[in-house]
Amino acid sequence: MTRRLTVRAPGIALRLDVRTLGVSGALLVAAFAAVLLTVVAVGIRLPLADIVEILQGGGRRADRFILLDLRLPRVCLALLTGAALALSGAVFQSLSRNPLGSPDIVGFTTGSATGAVLAIVVFGAGPAGSAVAAIAGGIGTALIVYGLAARGGGSIRRLVLVGIGIAAMLVAVNSYLISRARLDAAQSAAVWLVGTLNGRTWQYVYLLGIALAVLTPPLLLLSRRLQMLAMGEDSARSLGVPVRWSRLSLMVLAVAVCAVATAATGPVAFVALAAPQVTRRLTRSPSVQLLPAAITGALLMVLSDFVAQRILAPAQLPVGVVTGAVGGVYLAWLLSEQWRKGNG
């Protein structure tokens, strides 16, 4: 039996699922613990007392540099990127009613990667130029996928199939561009394609933070319509939901969130795929809840980056290597579950 808590205020009454609240609180605590572990225990250890002193404006110059210029930007960007990818994945999985319908499967992150690789290899772009190109590539890919899918009726399942095909083509384009590039440009593009937090500064945090501050509120406002659309277009239409406009608005917002996240870190694999489904199983909800999914994505990203920094220390792996390894196992399990249900 689902237990709900009603919160009342003048003119407002909210019904909140008690289990979802509890899971969200536990995930927040786990994310805070993961952040603390990453800040304290990676590389040169910084005692908590020194961290508090630095945050109050004191501390040695070397320790201030390590904390304020290296570790905090990295962990903040990990939190924001994980949340952004999870939000995007939750929207697309809900719209497609398919756990495989995430932006890294249907080609949007690959499109962002193509834009960045093109900028790096052909135009010699730096971090700012590649970020802008990644956003343009993701949005352009989404427009192409949506346009091709619309010609066949615009169903979300057709969009997923078209997206998978476009993604395969873009992977080939990326490989060709790297094979024809100069050695230094090819190395830079190859590292970016894996997805990495190495060398990221506060500029990337500000970029993604501002984007999330602008894009997340309308996503949350449309979350109720998203839950209705997850029940099926006919059911949503019978409940008075403007299906076409709501679906298009949600897709535009989700693509924008995904493109900005990819611009900041590169196409980090499988966070958008796994985080919403992990959340749904934890909350035991029939649909994916956006805020808990965002917290789960942030937690997965921070934990993955902690492993990436520790597993071959003092060398630091790109975070995409860890998420790809874990996500590949998860994807195999998910496909086997889907196959078993289809043959059950």
Side-chain angles (χ1 to χ4, degrees), residues 6-326:
T6 302
V7 179
R8 299 183 184 277
I12 300 175
L14 296 176
R15 298 185 66 195
L16 305 174
D17 181 69
V18 174
R19 182 178 179 86
T20 300
L21 282 176
V23 169
S24 299
L27 289 170
L28 279 173
V29 171
F32 177 77
V35 167
L36 198 59
L37 181 65
T38 301
V39 170
V40 171
V42 171
I44 299 174
R45 291 182 179 272
L46 291 178
L48 282 176
D50 290 355
I51 291 176
V52 172
E53 184 182 359
I54 292 170
L55 294 177
Q56 291 176 344
R60 297 186 305 167
R61 178 179 296 181
D63 291 343
R64 289 180 60 84
F65 174 76
I66 291 171
L67 179 64
L68 299 179
D69 293 336
L70 297 180
R71 294 187 186 175
L72 281 185
R74 182 176 184 130
V75 77
C76 288
L77 188 60
L79 288 169
L80 292 174
T81 303
L85 292 174
L87 280 173
S88 182
V91 170
F92 280 105
Q93 289 178 15
S94 297
L95 288 176
S96 63
R97 302 190 298 280
N98 188 331
L100 294 176
S102 70
D104 44 357
I105 298 295
V106 299
F108 299 146
T109 55
T110 311
S112 295
T114 301
V117 170
L118 191 65
I120 293 170
V121 170
V122 177
F123 301 105
S130 60
V132 172
I135 294 173
I139 294 174
T141 302
L143 291 174
I144 293 172
V145 170
Y146 191 81
L148 292 175
R151 297 181 63 183
S155 71
I156 196 69
R157 291 189 177 185
R158 179 178 174 85
L159 185 143
V160 170
L161 292 174
V162 171
I164 291 173
I166 294 295
M169 295 172 60
L170 291 176
V171 168
V173 171
N174 293 342
S175 299
Y176 173 77
L177 288 172
I178 290 177
S179 70
R180 305 296 296 177
R182 301 188 315 272
L183 180 59
D184 57 339
Q187 289 176 334
S188 176
V191 171
W192 195 92
L193 276 174
V194 177
T196 182
L197 293 166
N198 297 344
R200 295 303 188 261
T201 63
W202 285 111
Q203 292 180 339
Y204 292 92
V205 178
Y206 299 149
L207 167 70
L208 188 50
I210 292 171
L212 282 178
V214 172
L215 298 171
T216 302
L219 268 179
L220 296 179
L221 289 174
L222 290 170
S223 61
R224 184 167 178 80
R225 291 185 179 181
L226 178 64
Q227 293 179 12
M228 295 179 182
L229 287 169
M231 297 187 297
E233 293 183 3
D234 292 336
S235 298
R237 194 175 287 111
S238 67
L239 294 171
V241 176
V243 171
R244 185 176 293 274
W245 182 89
S246 299
R247 186 176 66 185
L248 180 60
S249 300
L250 285 162
M251 287 180 57
V252 169
L253 291 169
V255 167
V257 167
C258 177
V260 177
T262 306
T265 61
V268 179
F270 292 114
V271 175
L273 177 72
Q277 294 305 307
V278 171
T279 304
R280 191 172 68 83
R281 284 165 170 78
L282 289 174
T283 59
R284 298 179 186 173
S285 173
S287 60
V288 179
Q289 307 292 320
L290 293 185
L291 275 181
I295 300 170
T296 303
L299 173 60
L300 290 177
M301 192 73 169
V302 173
L303 289 176
S304 297
D305 187 48
F306 175 78
V307 173
Q309 294 183 74
R310 292 286 294 177
I311 194 169
L312 293 178
Q316 294 184 350
L317 291 176
V319 67
V321 172
V322 177
T323 61
V326 176

